[in-house]
Amino acid sequence: MSAGNEAEQKAVLNRLRRAQGQLAAVIAMVEEDRDCRQIVTQLSAVSKAIDRAAVKIVALNMRACVSGQNPGGPDEGELEKLFMSLV
C-alpha cells in the first residue's frame, strides 16, 4: 500500500490483523466440528473485515492518484478495475 498516511495504513493493518485472528478462530471452529451457524457467522465477519480493508486501500490510492501524490501507482483505469473486483 503505497498511498496514504501512516495512521490510515495502521488502521488498514489493524483491520487485516483482526481478520487474521477471526480466520484462525474459524479454522479452530471447523477443527472442533462446531455448529455451522457459528462458523458461517464468523466467516461473514472475516469477509467483511477483508472487504473493508480492500476498499480502504483502493480509496487511499484513488485519493493519491487524483491529487498526484502517487506517481507510478495505479492509474485511474486500473483503480476502477480494482474497485470493481471488490463488488
Side-chain angles (χ1 to χ4, degrees):
M1 188 170 98
S2 59
N5 66 32
E6 288 181 33
E8 290 170 323
Q9 185 175 10
K10 184 176 180 178
V12 169
L13 287 171
N14 285 340
R15 225 173 255 204
L16 290 171
R17 286 187 183 108
R18 215 172 13 254
Q20 184 179 33
Q22 290 170 319
L23 184 56
V26 169
I27 291 168
M29 291 170 78
V30 170
E31 290 173 341
E32 296 166 4
D33 199 26
R34 299 269 296 272
D35 182 72
C36 70
R37 291 171 290 207
Q38 294 173 338
I39 294 170
V40 170
T41 299
Q42 286 302 311
L43 279 173
S44 177
V46 171
S47 179
K48 287 177 185 175
I50 291 171
D51 288 346
R52 287 185 185 121
V55 167
K56 184 68 171 178
I57 289 168
V58 171
L60 290 171
N61 277 281
M62 286 177 119
R63 187 181 326 143
C65 179
V66 169
S67 66
Q69 297 174 345
N70 193 13
D75 64 21
E76 214 174 299
E78 188 177 358
L79 283 169
E80 183 178 345
K81 286 179 186 176
L82 289 169
F83 181 75
M84 294 307 292
S85 73
L86 299 174
V87 290

